[in-house]
Amino acid sequence: LARAGELGPAEQHLRRAAELAPGYPPALLPLARLVARRGAQAEAVALLERALQSAPWSPELHAELVGRLLAAGRGDEARERADRARRAGVALPSELLAALGAD
């Protein structure tokens, strides 16, 4: 639905899935991406943080969170989260690290 441009119904379905299974990354990640598309970066960050509580090893979730923090203008926090992920052994995409100015 979201790909077809029907963000309202897609968001409703994803929110319902997140209600039924709080912390379920397969519902929270696309919901975070969808709300970010409409400019709600802070909500996207909160959803990703919830997802990471259930899947702290997920490189995709960490990368998405760092990217959303950057998009929200929270560069210091993005760098700190990237450092935390790397210390935990989670590999982040090199393009994301370059955007952070990390080595």
Side-chain angles (χ1 to χ4, degrees), residues 10 23-24 29 34 45 55-56 69 78 86 89 98:
Y24 184 57
L29 177 59
L34 194 144
V45 166
L69 288 167
R86 292 189 320 171

Side-chain angles (χ1 to χ4, degrees), residues 3 5 8 13 18 36 39 42 44-45 49 57 59 61 63 72 74 76 79 81-83 85 87 96 99-100 102:
R3 289 186 187 159
H13 289 294
V45 166
E49 287 174 340
W57 60 87
L61 290 173
R74 296 161 59 181
D76 289 343
R79 280 184 281 287
R81 292 304 295 246
D83 288 343
R87 285 193 305 272
L96 186 58
L100 291 168

Side-chain angles (χ1 to χ4, degrees), residues 30-91:
L31 180 57
R33 287 177 173 159
L34 194 144
V35 300
R37 281 178 55 185
R38 63 173 170 74
Q41 298 299 334
E43 183 181 1
V45 166
L47 290 165
L48 292 164
E49 287 174 340
R50 269 181 46 199
L52 277 165
Q53 290 175 4
S54 297
W57 60 87
S58 170
E60 185 176 20
L61 290 173
H62 281 282
E64 190 74 26
L65 176 59
V66 170
R68 293 295 152 217
L69 288 167
L70 282 173
R74 296 161 59 181
D76 289 343
E77 191 176 348
R79 280 184 281 287
E80 189 276 321
R81 292 304 295 246
D83 288 343
R84 187 185 315 174
R86 292 189 320 171
R87 285 193 305 272
V90 176

